[in-house]
Amino acid sequence: MTGAERHTGYGGDDGLADGLDRLWTPHRMTYISGEDRPEGGYEKPAGCPFCLAPGLPAEESLVVARGEHVFAVLNLYPYNPGHLLVCPYRHVADYTELDEPETVELAAFTKAAMRVIRHVSSAHGFNLGMNQGGVAGAGIAAHLHQHVVPRWGGDANFMPVIGRTKVLPQLLADTRELLAKAWAAA
């Protein structure tokens, strides 16, 4: 199992098994600790992953599709498999800073993302949204991005609530490949 392993847990000090499995996800510590955050933060394009991603190979950047003004990229820390971000190439923080062509293409890419994800994974619904500013929950507030999060009946379970862990059944590279092929065919 890449990036995670299972281990049957033992209880407290008595050493007796508690009957719970442990899902180890050490790759998440980079996000939690902020150690992958650039020294100068995300405020400048030089440290912004959304500015850097389009210049990297697709397999490394997780970019799924590219337009003239925006691109679609897999979220490195997804809520669900197929969680895409639609980002303008231009480093702007606020939705009101987009020009008309960027706004139109962002909307078109969001619609395309929904169609492609439905085609690839039969999503039952979606959460769409933008967190504007750090106070609103934006992890990278300096570069606008629209979340396209696929949802399925019963996809929310006890793991995030009790275990503070999200179980994802597919590696990001595999998800990127499926979505990129379907996007190209759409």
Side-chain angles (χ1 to χ4, degrees):
M1 204 182 252
T2 305
E5 62 183 63
R6 289 197 163 283
H7 174 71
T8 300
Y10 291 90
D13 297 330
D14 60 8
L16 297 175
D18 62 8
L20 299 176
D21 284 340
R22 302 311 194 258
L23 181 61
W24 300 99
T25 57
H27 62 282
R28 298 272 308 157
M29 283 309 296
T30 301
Y31 176 72
I32 293 166
S33 69
E35 73 183 57
D36 65 343
R37 184 177 292 265
E39 191 172 314
Y42 300 123
E43 300 306 314
K44 297 184 186 207
C48 175
F50 299 139
C51 289
L52 298 173
L56 300 171
E59 295 76 19
E60 185 179 336
S61 69
L62 300 176
V63 170
V64 170
R66 300 167 191 267
E68 185 177 344
H69 305 286
V70 304
F71 63 98
V73 61
L74 280 173
N75 188 329
L76 188 56
Y77 304 105
Y79 297 131
N80 275 340
H83 179 171
L84 286 175
L85 304 172
V86 179
C87 308
Y89 290 109
R90 200 162 56 94
H91 189 82
V92 297
D94 198 85
Y95 186 68
T96 62
E97 296 177 54
L98 293 179
D99 62 26
E100 190 64 22
E102 289 168 327
T103 303
V104 169
E105 193 171 56
L106 188 133
F109 259 57
T110 300
K111 289 170 65 174
M114 291 174 65
R115 283 194 290 276
V116 166
I117 293 168
R118 268 196 194 109
H119 174 75
V120 168
S121 62
S122 303
H124 299 149
F126 292 88
N127 291 117
L128 304 175
M130 294 181 206
N131 300 325
Q132 297 285 265
V135 70
I140 301 175
H143 197 130
L144 174 86
H145 51 284
Q146 165 90 344
H147 291 261
V148 181
V149 183
R151 300 298 306 270
W152 295 268
D155 68 7
N157 60 37
F158 68 92
M159 289 295 287
V161 176
I162 306 282
R164 299 195 44 81
T165 301
K166 185 69 179 179
V167 178
L168 299 165
Q170 190 173 55
L171 297 174
L172 287 174
D174 295 341
T175 304
R176 193 214 69 79
E177 186 177 332
L178 281 170
L179 293 175
K181 282 181 183 176
W183 200 298

